[in-house]
Amino acid sequence: MDSARTSTPLARLAADLEAADFTVDALDALWGETASAALHRSERVPARRVLDALRREHGASAPLAVLAELFVLGLPVPADEAAAALPELGLDDAAAIGLIRSEGATILAALDLRPYAFTDAHGSAHWWILSDLGELALGHALREDHVLGVGGASTTLSGLMQPTPARRVLDLGTGCGVQAMHASRFADSVVATDISERALEIARMNLELNGIDGVELRLGSLFEPVAGERFDRIVSNPPFVITPRTEGVPEYEYRDGGMVGDALVEAVVRGCAEHLEPGGVAQLLANWEYRDGVDGLARAASWAGDLDHWLVEREVQPVTEYAETWIRDGGTRSGTAAFDRLYDAWLDDFAARGVTEVGFGYVLVRRSGDADAPAAASATGRLARVERRHGAIGSNPAGLGGHLAQCLDALDRLATLDDASLAAVHLTVAGDVTEERHYWPGDEDPTAMLLRQGGGFARTISPGTALAAFVGACDGELAAGAIVAALAQLLEVDGPALAGELLPEIRELIVDGMLLLPRE
């Protein structure tokens, strides 16, 4: 008997998907740029028309087109074409594992299955991700136990993960398992938890489908499944959506944590303290409420307590826009009585707490090193950054995680350098930093200078003359103190006074990744 036939159904499914070249690139090439863009807007008609034309032209569809029509578009396909597209798995086993269902001579998808491509610090790769069928395929609102696939929030969090090695990682609220899968690329072991048995079953299928080992799945709410345990990293895309606790308002397990307002995010942030190893880092996505004029980002920062913290607010929505977004996300269409009823419930809930806006962003917290922790970990304890980075950020093909890791490392190394030690360091300008100079016509001297970061958070600073000259001289040849001394002579100012002015700004540029410390 063929060895593929004797393997598990999911292994045979993987063989079929590989044989059909069921990848992001192949699908984009199959139906073209316009149809791909429409699919990103949850519109499948252009892609369907392309596949219809191919079927008319060739009489039957190739396996890639059949799998695309069945699983990505959520449309029925002829049983004979489905069988030809899944020769190793077979239709009987596909039905047995809950992948498809039959209606006469046609086959319909029972799960969403689509390719997923990404690039991280380890390189480019692709997986296949199973999840529950979305509104596009269902044609109605989602079930409350819906298991979400890979969306914008998923890719944001996976891109934020620091790609440095870790012994144990906790994925809190794993959903379909994609964050645990990403964590497995740099961790020795991963524990993935969820309150949903269905989510854990789909996560198990995704791990097996993609041949990923070293992930343990546990059922339970928040930190209950890992009571008494600690981890080097915690990652979480928690069910942070703020939902009215009102009868008749659906509570979707993948997004609603069952608490009032932003209390669930607060519970996760506060709970990290007792589950992080010394020097351990937790990263999560979050919402926070702006209440009666109280700054929501400051409220969120207060949840970190004694933990080091770095919070980045990416956007703020008025409560009206926030409500509309999440009502539509559940599959309820605007202009209906059901939509209006839910809208009233959301606005009543916000009004009861005086909420006017909701912020969204990233939370990074770190446990300071204990006395017996390694030197790098024990240098922590000074991280307290709270910033608003609305709008576009830099180009980060492998995600922001590498930049965040670099910033934390720079912060820890700077903590061991007093000003005299820093003056002895040979700094270099990061390769993504460029300088802009603006002149009035005919003037020799610039009226404004800007330093721009191409990656990271795309920071832009307007340096003074001395700082701009210092950065321009950082090619690794001269120590920082020697550059400052030379500038003091050139500008005819007091050397120690100039050093006192520049060194704090230099430290900030190092932490932001615009100036680089020499490799250790």
Side-chain angles (χ1 to χ4, degrees):
M1 181 179 291
D2 189 326
S3 59
R5 291 287 187 185
T6 63
S7 61
T8 67
L10 287 166
R12 299 200 301 275
L13 172 59
D16 287 332
L17 299 176
E18 195 72 52
D21 193 23
F22 191 58
T23 63
V24 172
D25 287 345
L27 289 181
D28 285 346
L30 176 67
W31 41 48
E33 183 178 341
T34 300
S36 293
L39 280 172
H40 284 295
R41 301 190 300 270
S42 297
E43 299 294 342
R44 66 186 176 188
V45 170
R48 189 210 69 210
R49 290 170 63 88
V50 170
L51 298 186
D52 286 347
L54 289 173
R55 180 175 275 111
R56 287 194 301 270
E57 180 180 353
H58 299 290
S61 295
L64 176 62
V66 173
L67 296 174
E69 191 167 16
L70 179 62
F71 294 115
V72 179
L73 304 188
L75 296 170
V77 300
D80 58 338
E81 292 188 10
L86 298 170
E88 295 295 337
L89 176 59
L91 298 188
D92 288 343
D93 280 351
I97 63 173
L99 183 64
I100 63 169
R101 59 187 178 86
S102 300
E103 282 191 2
T106 62
I107 299 297
L108 292 90
L111 286 174
D112 185 288
L113 169 62
R114 61 188 64 210
Y116 168 58
F118 62 92
T119 300
D120 63 14
H122 298 284
S124 297
H126 77 88
W127 291 323
W128 302 290
I129 302 296
L130 290 159
S131 62
D132 276 331
L133 294 172
E135 180 194 356
L136 189 66
L138 292 172
H140 57 74
L142 306 178
R143 292 176 11 174
E144 292 191 19
D145 64 350
H146 178 84
V147 178
L148 194 67
V150 176
S154 303
T155 55
T156 296
L157 181 59
S158 64
L160 289 172
M161 283 192 205
Q162 296 178 74
T164 49
R167 188 176 63 87
R168 296 188 78 211
V169 174
L170 169 64
D171 175 16
L172 190 73
T174 192
C176 70
V178 68
Q179 303 303 333
M181 293 164 67
H182 276 289
S184 72
R185 287 171 63 83
F186 60 81
D188 294 338
S189 66
V190 180
V191 175
T193 69
D194 207 284
I195 198 171
S196 166
E197 291 186 4
R198 179 166 180 77
L200 292 180
E201 175 57 22
I202 289 180
R204 182 199 64 75
M205 294 175 71
N206 281 322
L207 292 167
E208 185 178 340
L209 177 62
N210 294 283
I212 295 173
D213 299 318
V215 178
E216 179 186 354
L217 301 173
R218 300 185 191 177
L219 179 67
S221 176
L222 296 180
F223 293 101
E224 291 174 0
V226 294
E229 298 180 53
R230 288 184 177 179
F231 299 85
D232 304 297
R233 305 276 173 77
I234 298 173
V235 296
S236 183
N237 180 11
F240 58 74
V241 175
I242 298 166
T243 303
R245 302 304 158 201
T246 305
E247 185 177 353
V249 177
E251 295 185 10
Y252 298 104
E253 290 181 342
Y254 73 89
R255 73 182 202 190
D256 303 323
M259 297 186 186
V260 173
D262 51 23
L264 182 126
V265 175
E266 179 178 359
V268 173
V269 174
R270 293 188 185 280
C272 287
E274 62 182 280
H275 292 284
L276 285 172
E277 293 282 7
V281 172
Q283 294 175 273
L284 61 144
L285 305 182
N287 275 169
W288 39 79
E289 296 181 334
Y290 285 74
R291 300 176 180 171
D292 290 328
V294 177
D295 186 282
L297 186 54
R299 285 183 59 248
S302 71
W303 302 335
D306 294 332
L307 293 174
D308 292 3
H309 57 275
W310 185 357
L311 279 74
V312 179
E313 183 177 82
R314 295 290 290 124
E315 67 174 302
V316 175
Q317 282 188 316
V319 292
T320 48
E321 292 181 16
Y322 188 88
E324 293 163 14
T325 296
W326 293 109
I327 296 169
R328 292 194 186 102
D329 177 79
T332 303
R333 297 187 179 277
S334 57
T336 64
F339 187 96
D340 291 350
R341 178 180 58 80
L342 292 175
Y343 206 163
D344 274 327
W346 243 277
L347 296 186
D348 286 346
D349 179 62
F350 283 132
R353 292 189 303 283
V355 180
T356 55
E357 295 177 308
V358 179
F360 168 81
Y362 323 142
V363 175
L364 183 153
V365 294
R366 181 171 67 171
R367 182 181 171 195
S368 297
D370 292 344
D372 59 350
S378 60
T380 66
R382 308 141 322 281
L383 178 63
R385 302 190 107 190
V386 178
E387 54 184 316
R388 291 176 169 86
R389 306 298 304 178
H390 299 176
I393 59 174
S395 174
N396 300 282
L400 267 171
H403 175 72
L404 296 178
Q406 175 189 342
C407 293
L408 294 181
D409 178 67
L411 189 72
D412 290 342
R413 292 178 63 187
L414 282 174
T416 67
L417 300 174
D418 58 18
D419 284 351
S421 299
L422 179 59
V425 170
H426 294 241
L427 299 170
T428 55
V429 182
D432 64 338
V433 173
T434 57
E435 180 185 86
E436 291 183 12
R437 296 189 175 213
H438 299 264
Y439 297 83
W440 288 113
D443 284 0
E444 292 186 3
D445 297 322
T447 56
M449 291 182 288
L450 298 174
L451 294 178
R452 294 190 183 276
Q453 183 181 46
F457 285 104
R459 299 181 188 279
T460 298
I461 68 165
S462 180
T465 301
L467 183 60
F470 178 88
V471 172
C474 286
D475 58 5
E477 293 296 320
L478 294 175
I483 297 174
V484 172
L487 288 173
Q489 286 189 329
L490 182 65
L491 298 172
E492 299 180 343
V493 298
D494 179 70
L498 183 61
E501 173 190 333
L502 289 184
L503 287 177
E505 296 178 317
I506 292 167
R507 287 180 181 273
E508 199 68 20
L509 291 179
I510 294 171
V511 173
D512 288 340
M514 299 179 79
L515 288 177
L516 304 179
L517 293 165
R519 295 182 182 275
E520 292 183 316

mmCIF file with all atom_site columns, all heavy atoms in Angstrom, residues 54 81 98 111 162 166 175 212 301 321 338 356 365 367 372 381 387 395 440 493:
data_model
loop_
_atom_site.group_PDB
_atom_site.id
_atom_site.type_symbol
_atom_site.label_atom_id
_atom_site.label_alt_id
_atom_site.label_comp_id
_atom_site.label_asym_id
_atom_site.label_entity_id
_atom_site.label_seq_id
_atom_site.pdbx_PDB_ins_code
_atom_site.Cartn_x
_atom_site.Cartn_y
_atom_site.Cartn_z
_atom_site.occupancy
_atom_site.B_iso_or_equiv
_atom_site.pdbx_formal_charge
_atom_site.auth_seq_id
_atom_site.auth_comp_id
_atom_site.auth_asym_id
_atom_site.auth_atom_id
_atom_site.pdbx_PDB_model_num
ATOM 1   N N   . LEU A 1 54  ? -12.221 29.635 -16.591 1.00 0.00 ? 54  LEU A N   1
ATOM 2   C CA  . LEU A 1 54  ? -11.273 28.525 -16.747 1.00 0.00 ? 54  LEU A CA  1
ATOM 3   C C   . LEU A 1 54  ? -12.013 27.205 -16.933 1.00 0.00 ? 54  LEU A C   1
ATOM 4   O O   . LEU A 1 54  ? -11.611 26.359 -17.751 1.00 0.00 ? 54  LEU A O   1
ATOM 5   C CB  . LEU A 1 54  ? -10.350 28.453 -15.532 1.00 0.00 ? 54  LEU A CB  1
ATOM 6   C CG  . LEU A 1 54  ? -9.311  29.569 -15.398 1.00 0.00 ? 54  LEU A CG  1
ATOM 7   C CD1 . LEU A 1 54  ? -8.586  29.459 -14.064 1.00 0.00 ? 54  LEU A CD1 1
ATOM 8   C CD2 . LEU A 1 54  ? -8.308  29.511 -16.549 1.00 0.00 ? 54  LEU A CD2 1
ATOM 9   N N   . GLU A 1 81  ? -14.507 16.413 -9.336  1.00 0.00 ? 81  GLU A N   1
ATOM 10  C CA  . GLU A 1 81  ? -13.379 17.335 -9.332  1.00 0.00 ? 81  GLU A CA  1
ATOM 11  C C   . GLU A 1 81  ? -12.748 17.413 -7.947  1.00 0.00 ? 81  GLU A C   1
ATOM 12  O O   . GLU A 1 81  ? -11.519 17.504 -7.807  1.00 0.00 ? 81  GLU A O   1
ATOM 13  C CB  . GLU A 1 81  ? -13.813 18.714 -9.798  1.00 0.00 ? 81  GLU A CB  1
ATOM 14  C CG  . GLU A 1 81  ? -14.198 18.771 -11.270 1.00 0.00 ? 81  GLU A CG  1
ATOM 15  C CD  . GLU A 1 81  ? -14.445 20.193 -11.758 1.00 0.00 ? 81  GLU A CD  1
ATOM 16  O OE1 . GLU A 1 81  ? -14.137 21.140 -11.001 1.00 0.00 ? 81  GLU A OE1 1
ATOM 17  O OE2 . GLU A 1 81  ? -14.927 20.360 -12.891 1.00 0.00 ? 81  GLU A OE2 1
ATOM 18  N N   . GLY A 1 98  ? -14.055 16.312 9.151   1.00 0.00 ? 98  GLY A N   1
ATOM 19  C CA  . GLY A 1 98  ? -14.830 17.548 9.215   1.00 0.00 ? 98  GLY A CA  1
ATOM 20  C C   . GLY A 1 98  ? -14.405 18.608 8.240   1.00 0.00 ? 98  GLY A C   1
ATOM 21  O O   . GLY A 1 98  ? -14.744 19.786 8.402   1.00 0.00 ? 98  GLY A O   1
ATOM 22  N N   . LEU A 1 111 ? -14.941 23.481 6.574   1.00 0.00 ? 111 LEU A N   1
ATOM 23  C CA  . LEU A 1 111 ? -13.966 24.330 7.247   1.00 0.00 ? 111 LEU A CA  1
ATOM 24  C C   . LEU A 1 111 ? -13.324 25.234 6.206   1.00 0.00 ? 111 LEU A C   1
ATOM 25  O O   . LEU A 1 111 ? -13.247 24.892 5.025   1.00 0.00 ? 111 LEU A O   1
ATOM 26  C CB  . LEU A 1 111 ? -12.871 23.499 7.922   1.00 0.00 ? 111 LEU A CB  1
ATOM 27  C CG  . LEU A 1 111 ? -13.230 22.743 9.197   1.00 0.00 ? 111 LEU A CG  1
ATOM 28  C CD1 . LEU A 1 111 ? -12.048 21.865 9.621   1.00 0.00 ? 111 LEU A CD1 1
ATOM 29  C CD2 . LEU A 1 111 ? -13.603 23.702 10.328  1.00 0.00 ? 111 LEU A CD2 1
ATOM 30  N N   . GLN A 1 162 ? 9.413   38.830 19.314  1.00 0.00 ? 162 GLN A N   1
ATOM 31  C CA  . GLN A 1 162 ? 10.863  38.916 19.225  1.00 0.00 ? 162 GLN A CA  1
ATOM 32  C C   . GLN A 1 162 ? 11.415  37.577 18.734  1.00 0.00 ? 162 GLN A C   1
ATOM 33  O O   . GLN A 1 162 ? 11.096  36.537 19.304  1.00 0.00 ? 162 GLN A O   1
ATOM 34  C CB  . GLN A 1 162 ? 11.452  39.259 20.585  1.00 0.00 ? 162 GLN A CB  1
ATOM 35  C CG  . GLN A 1 162 ? 11.025  40.628 21.087  1.00 0.00 ? 162 GLN A CG  1
ATOM 36  C CD  . GLN A 1 162 ? 11.582  40.917 22.446  1.00 0.00 ? 162 GLN A CD  1
ATOM 37  O OE1 . GLN A 1 162 ? 12.764  41.182 22.599  1.00 0.00 ? 162 GLN A OE1 1
ATOM 38  N NE2 . GLN A 1 162 ? 10.728  40.860 23.451  1.00 0.00 ? 162 GLN A NE2 1
ATOM 39  N N   . ALA A 1 166 ? 14.066  31.323 22.938  1.00 0.00 ? 166 ALA A N   1
ATOM 40  C CA  . ALA A 1 166 ? 13.402  31.259 24.236  1.00 0.00 ? 166 ALA A CA  1
ATOM 41  C C   . ALA A 1 166 ? 13.225  29.794 24.621  1.00 0.00 ? 166 ALA A C   1
ATOM 42  O O   . ALA A 1 166 ? 13.051  28.936 23.756  1.00 0.00 ? 166 ALA A O   1
ATOM 43  C CB  . ALA A 1 166 ? 12.048  31.963 24.196  1.00 0.00 ? 166 ALA A CB  1
ATOM 44  N N   . GLY A 1 175 ? -6.622  30.350 19.858  1.00 0.00 ? 175 GLY A N   1
ATOM 45  C CA  . GLY A 1 175 ? -7.507  30.333 18.701  1.00 0.00 ? 175 GLY A CA  1
ATOM 46  C C   . GLY A 1 175 ? -7.148  29.201 17.758  1.00 0.00 ? 175 GLY A C   1
ATOM 47  O O   . GLY A 1 175 ? -7.047  28.042 18.161  1.00 0.00 ? 175 GLY A O   1
ATOM 48  N N   . ILE A 1 212 ? 4.183   20.493 12.806  1.00 0.00 ? 212 ILE A N   1
ATOM 49  C CA  . ILE A 1 212 ? 4.832   21.266 13.865  1.00 0.00 ? 212 ILE A CA  1
ATOM 50  C C   . ILE A 1 212 ? 4.721   20.526 15.189  1.00 0.00 ? 212 ILE A C   1
ATOM 51  O O   . ILE A 1 212 ? 3.624   20.184 15.636  1.00 0.00 ? 212 ILE A O   1
ATOM 52  C CB  . ILE A 1 212 ? 4.201   22.662 13.978  1.00 0.00 ? 212 ILE A CB  1
ATOM 53  C CG1 . ILE A 1 212 ? 4.471   23.448 12.685  1.00 0.00 ? 212 ILE A CG1 1
ATOM 54  C CG2 . ILE A 1 212 ? 4.738   23.423 15.186  1.00 0.00 ? 212 ILE A CG2 1
ATOM 55  C CD1 . ILE A 1 212 ? 3.773   24.771 12.610  1.00 0.00 ? 212 ILE A CD1 1
ATOM 56  N N   . ALA A 1 301 ? -1.257  51.857 30.802  1.00 0.00 ? 301 ALA A N   1
ATOM 57  C CA  . ALA A 1 301 ? 0.104   51.773 31.326  1.00 0.00 ? 301 ALA A CA  1
ATOM 58  C C   . ALA A 1 301 ? 0.102   51.475 32.822  1.00 0.00 ? 301 ALA A C   1
ATOM 59  O O   . ALA A 1 301 ? 0.990   50.779 33.332  1.00 0.00 ? 301 ALA A O   1
ATOM 60  C CB  . ALA A 1 301 ? 0.850   53.067 31.038  1.00 0.00 ? 301 ALA A CB  1
ATOM 61  N N   . GLU A 1 321 ? -17.736 54.569 15.718  1.00 0.00 ? 321 GLU A N   1
ATOM 62  C CA  . GLU A 1 321 ? -17.013 53.770 14.730  1.00 0.00 ? 321 GLU A CA  1
ATOM 63  C C   . GLU A 1 321 ? -16.625 52.405 15.291  1.00 0.00 ? 321 GLU A C   1
ATOM 64  O O   . GLU A 1 321 ? -16.666 51.391 14.584  1.00 0.00 ? 321 GLU A O   1
ATOM 65  C CB  . GLU A 1 321 ? -15.764 54.515 14.258  1.00 0.00 ? 321 GLU A CB  1
ATOM 66  C CG  . GLU A 1 321 ? -16.051 55.758 13.441  1.00 0.00 ? 321 GLU A CG  1
ATOM 67  C CD  . GLU A 1 321 ? -14.778 56.431 12.979  1.00 0.00 ? 321 GLU A CD  1
ATOM 68  O OE1 . GLU A 1 321 ? -13.697 55.790 13.033  1.00 0.00 ? 321 GLU A OE1 1
ATOM 69  O OE2 . GLU A 1 321 ? -14.848 57.600 12.556  1.00 0.00 ? 321 GLU A OE2 1
ATOM 70  N N   . ALA A 1 338 ? -31.722 44.435 13.258  1.00 0.00 ? 338 ALA A N   1
ATOM 71  C CA  . ALA A 1 338 ? -30.778 43.769 14.167  1.00 0.00 ? 338 ALA A CA  1
ATOM 72  C C   . ALA A 1 338 ? -29.550 44.641 14.391  1.00 0.00 ? 338 ALA A C   1
ATOM 73  O O   . ALA A 1 338 ? -29.040 44.750 15.519  1.00 0.00 ? 338 ALA A O   1
ATOM 74  C CB  . ALA A 1 338 ? -30.369 42.411 13.597  1.00 0.00 ? 338 ALA A CB  1
ATOM 75  N N   . THR A 1 356 ? -15.787 57.670 25.647  1.00 0.00 ? 356 THR A N   1
ATOM 76  C CA  . THR A 1 356 ? -15.945 58.476 24.445  1.00 0.00 ? 356 THR A CA  1
ATOM 77  C C   . THR A 1 356 ? -15.142 57.930 23.265  1.00 0.00 ? 356 THR A C   1
ATOM 78  O O   . THR A 1 356 ? -15.527 58.117 22.113  1.00 0.00 ? 356 THR A O   1
ATOM 79  C CB  . THR A 1 356 ? -15.497 59.921 24.701  1.00 0.00 ? 356 THR A CB  1
ATOM 80  O OG1 . THR A 1 356 ? -14.134 59.915 25.196  1.00 0.00 ? 356 THR A OG1 1
ATOM 81  C CG2 . THR A 1 356 ? -16.410 60.583 25.739  1.00 0.00 ? 356 THR A CG2 1
ATOM 82  N N   . VAL A 1 365 ? 5.342   44.101 28.162  1.00 0.00 ? 365 VAL A N   1
ATOM 83  C CA  . VAL A 1 365 ? 5.754   44.209 29.564  1.00 0.00 ? 365 VAL A CA  1
ATOM 84  C C   . VAL A 1 365 ? 6.888   43.226 29.805  1.00 0.00 ? 365 VAL A C   1
ATOM 85  O O   . VAL A 1 365 ? 6.986   42.181 29.156  1.00 0.00 ? 365 VAL A O   1
ATOM 86  C CB  . VAL A 1 365 ? 4.595   43.955 30.554  1.00 0.00 ? 365 VAL A CB  1
ATOM 87  C CG1 . VAL A 1 365 ? 3.543   45.033 30.440  1.00 0.00 ? 365 VAL A CG1 1
ATOM 88  C CG2 . VAL A 1 365 ? 3.980   42.589 30.350  1.00 0.00 ? 365 VAL A CG2 1
ATOM 89  N N   . ARG A 1 367 ? 9.421   41.499 33.036  1.00 0.00 ? 367 ARG A N   1
ATOM 90  C CA  . ARG A 1 367 ? 9.712   41.345 34.462  1.00 0.00 ? 367 ARG A CA  1
ATOM 91  C C   . ARG A 1 367 ? 11.185  41.626 34.710  1.00 0.00 ? 367 ARG A C   1
ATOM 92  O O   . ARG A 1 367 ? 12.053  41.067 34.059  1.00 0.00 ? 367 ARG A O   1
ATOM 93  C CB  . ARG A 1 367 ? 9.380   39.931 34.919  1.00 0.00 ? 367 ARG A CB  1
ATOM 94  C CG  . ARG A 1 367 ? 9.610   39.726 36.403  1.00 0.00 ? 367 ARG A CG  1
ATOM 95  C CD  . ARG A 1 367 ? 9.298   38.317 36.836  1.00 0.00 ? 367 ARG A CD  1
ATOM 96  N NE  . ARG A 1 367 ? 9.715   38.097 38.209  1.00 0.00 ? 367 ARG A NE  1
ATOM 97  C CZ  . ARG A 1 367 ? 9.835   36.915 38.789  1.00 0.00 ? 367 ARG A CZ  1
ATOM 98  N NH1 . ARG A 1 367 ? 9.575   35.828 38.085  1.00 0.00 ? 367 ARG A NH1 1
ATOM 99  N NH2 . ARG A 1 367 ? 10.219  36.804 40.036  1.00 0.00 ? 367 ARG A NH2 1
ATOM 100 N N   . ASP A 1 372 ? 19.521  36.654 41.226  1.00 0.00 ? 372 ASP A N   1
ATOM 101 C CA  . ASP A 1 372 ? 20.294  35.529 40.710  1.00 0.00 ? 372 ASP A CA  1
ATOM 102 C C   . ASP A 1 372 ? 20.120  35.363 39.201  1.00 0.00 ? 372 ASP A C   1
ATOM 103 O O   . ASP A 1 372 ? 20.529  34.359 38.620  1.00 0.00 ? 372 ASP A O   1
ATOM 104 C CB  . ASP A 1 372 ? 19.896  34.229 41.414  1.00 0.00 ? 372 ASP A CB  1
ATOM 105 C CG  . ASP A 1 372 ? 18.409  33.908 41.252  1.00 0.00 ? 372 ASP A CG  1
ATOM 106 O OD1 . ASP A 1 372 ? 17.675  34.781 40.762  1.00 0.00 ? 372 ASP A OD1 1
ATOM 107 O OD2 . ASP A 1 372 ? 18.005  32.793 41.629  1.00 0.00 ? 372 ASP A OD2 1
ATOM 108 N N   . GLY A 1 381 ? 14.417  47.137 34.227  1.00 0.00 ? 381 GLY A N   1
ATOM 109 C CA  . GLY A 1 381 ? 13.738  47.860 35.293  1.00 0.00 ? 381 GLY A CA  1
ATOM 110 C C   . GLY A 1 381 ? 13.590  49.331 35.018  1.00 0.00 ? 381 GLY A C   1
ATOM 111 O O   . GLY A 1 381 ? 13.053  50.057 35.833  1.00 0.00 ? 381 GLY A O   1
ATOM 112 N N   . GLU A 1 387 ? 3.722   55.715 24.132  1.00 0.00 ? 387 GLU A N   1
ATOM 113 C CA  . GLU A 1 387 ? 3.763   56.608 22.987  1.00 0.00 ? 387 GLU A CA  1
ATOM 114 C C   . GLU A 1 387 ? 2.618   56.342 22.024  1.00 0.00 ? 387 GLU A C   1
ATOM 115 O O   . GLU A 1 387 ? 2.069   55.241 21.971  1.00 0.00 ? 387 GLU A O   1
ATOM 116 C CB  . GLU A 1 387 ? 5.096   56.489 22.253  1.00 0.00 ? 387 GLU A CB  1
ATOM 117 C CG  . GLU A 1 387 ? 5.475   55.092 21.834  1.00 0.00 ? 387 GLU A CG  1
ATOM 118 C CD  . GLU A 1 387 ? 6.858   55.038 21.208  1.00 0.00 ? 387 GLU A CD  1
ATOM 119 O OE1 . GLU A 1 387 ? 7.163   55.923 20.373  1.00 0.00 ? 387 GLU A OE1 1
ATOM 120 O OE2 . GLU A 1 387 ? 7.636   54.126 21.528  1.00 0.00 ? 387 GLU A OE2 1
ATOM 121 N N   . SER A 1 395 ? 9.181   50.316 7.155   1.00 0.00 ? 395 SER A N   1
ATOM 122 C CA  . SER A 1 395 ? 9.196   49.068 6.397   1.00 0.00 ? 395 SER A CA  1
ATOM 123 C C   . SER A 1 395 ? 9.905   48.003 7.216   1.00 0.00 ? 395 SER A C   1
ATOM 124 O O   . SER A 1 395 ? 11.095  48.134 7.529   1.00 0.00 ? 395 SER A O   1
ATOM 125 C CB  . SER A 1 395 ? 9.918   49.281 5.065   1.00 0.00 ? 395 SER A CB  1
ATOM 126 O OG  . SER A 1 395 ? 10.075  48.061 4.383   1.00 0.00 ? 395 SER A OG  1
ATOM 127 N N   . TRP A 1 440 ? 16.226  77.579 2.135   1.00 0.00 ? 440 TRP A N   1
ATOM 128 C CA  . TRP A 1 440 ? 15.600  78.676 1.397   1.00 0.00 ? 440 TRP A CA  1
ATOM 129 C C   . TRP A 1 440 ? 16.418  78.908 0.143   1.00 0.00 ? 440 TRP A C   1
ATOM 130 O O   . TRP A 1 440 ? 17.642  78.765 0.154   1.00 0.00 ? 440 TRP A O   1
ATOM 131 C CB  . TRP A 1 440 ? 15.576  79.959 2.234   1.00 0.00 ? 440 TRP A CB  1
ATOM 132 C CG  . TRP A 1 440 ? 14.593  79.929 3.365   1.00 0.00 ? 440 TRP A CG  1
ATOM 133 C CD1 . TRP A 1 440 ? 14.869  79.936 4.686   1.00 0.00 ? 440 TRP A CD1 1
ATOM 134 C CD2 . TRP A 1 440 ? 13.168  79.917 3.246   1.00 0.00 ? 440 TRP A CD2 1
ATOM 135 N NE1 . TRP A 1 440 ? 13.721  79.904 5.427   1.00 0.00 ? 440 TRP A NE1 1
ATOM 136 C CE2 . TRP A 1 440 ? 12.644  79.899 4.569   1.00 0.00 ? 440 TRP A CE2 1
ATOM 137 C CE3 . TRP A 1 440 ? 12.276  79.919 2.173   1.00 0.00 ? 440 TRP A CE3 1
ATOM 138 C CZ2 . TRP A 1 440 ? 11.280  79.874 4.834   1.00 0.00 ? 440 TRP A CZ2 1
ATOM 139 C CZ3 . TRP A 1 440 ? 10.923  79.894 2.436   1.00 0.00 ? 440 TRP A CZ3 1
ATOM 140 C CH2 . TRP A 1 440 ? 10.443  79.881 3.746   1.00 0.00 ? 440 TRP A CH2 1
ATOM 141 N N   . VAL A 1 493 ? 32.330  76.072 21.560  1.00 0.00 ? 493 VAL A N   1
ATOM 142 C CA  . VAL A 1 493 ? 31.531  75.998 22.773  1.00 0.00 ? 493 VAL A CA  1
ATOM 143 C C   . VAL A 1 493 ? 32.272  75.157 23.792  1.00 0.00 ? 493 VAL A C   1
ATOM 144 O O   . VAL A 1 493 ? 33.239  74.448 23.471  1.00 0.00 ? 493 VAL A O   1
ATOM 145 C CB  . VAL A 1 493 ? 30.128  75.394 22.499  1.00 0.00 ? 493 VAL A CB  1
ATOM 146 C CG1 . VAL A 1 493 ? 29.338  76.264 21.540  1.00 0.00 ? 493 VAL A CG1 1
ATOM 147 C CG2 . VAL A 1 493 ? 30.256  73.980 21.952  1.00 0.00 ? 493 VAL A CG2 1
#
